[in-house]
Amino acid sequence: MKAVIQAGGKGTRLRPYSLVLPKPLMPVDELPVIEILAKWLRRNGIKDVFITTGYLGHLIRTVCGDGSQWGLKIIYSEEPEPLGTVGPLNLIRDYLDDTFLVLNGDLLTDLNLRAFTSYHHSHGGIVTVATIKKDINIDLGVIESNNGRIEGFREKPTMQFQVSMGVYCMEPSVVNLIPKGMPFGFDDLMFTMLDSSLPVYIYKHEGYWMDIGRPEDFRKAQKEIQFKQNSILGT
């Protein structure tokens, strides 16, 4: 199976760090995130990896090379302009001839990809989204109302949501839904599929996941990685 690492974003949420390095090269403990991802993919049986690059892409190429140091074969694509989360798949559509994985280049997880892809194949759909429960702290008083009258009030509650992990399993036909030469995000793909009554399935992960796209999460990952390396990399 092939995997696509989306690494072309500018990482605006992670500034000022991302003014110097692209998000996938941000160090977590002693390793850049993309190296942890590469080793995690290899541990899960993936050998062929595509990296879609854009912003500071030359730095990613320098660090990752051809992938042979991790037992991988890496092929790169270059976005002529920002194409969003899934727009870059059009640049490599000729290579995507079987079930493939897509993942953001700024995450850490111990998701079992074999179980994930097995579930994807079991339902016969063209897209499966890996999800996890996420607690969101609301730093405001939340009001519940009806016809202008308050019926409930919660002060700074914690709410739980099922969120996308930024890891997807897809079939090649999904590329036909992605317009060429324009930005197209995963949200656009979801709306397109829902509007066309095309089913999208979720796989609920109950292990570890961290998106380092925000400074507070990046700092949190530094503290957690030593305790999570075994589950992610088997070390």
Side-chain angles (χ1 to χ4, degrees), residues 19 29 32 40 44 51 123 152 164 171 182 204 212 223 231:
L19 293 174
D29 196 17
W40 167 69
N44 279 269
I51 301 179
H123 60 63
S164 169
E171 295 300 316
M182 60 179 290
K204 295 181 180 180
I212 67 152
K223 300 176 182 178
S231 62

Side-chain angles (χ1 to χ4, degrees), residues 87-103:
L89 295 180
N90 261 318
L91 301 177
I92 56 174
R93 64 186 302 151
D94 292 340
Y95 294 99
L96 304 177
D97 53 1
D98 203 348
T99 305
F100 62 96
L101 298 166
V102 178
L103 53 139

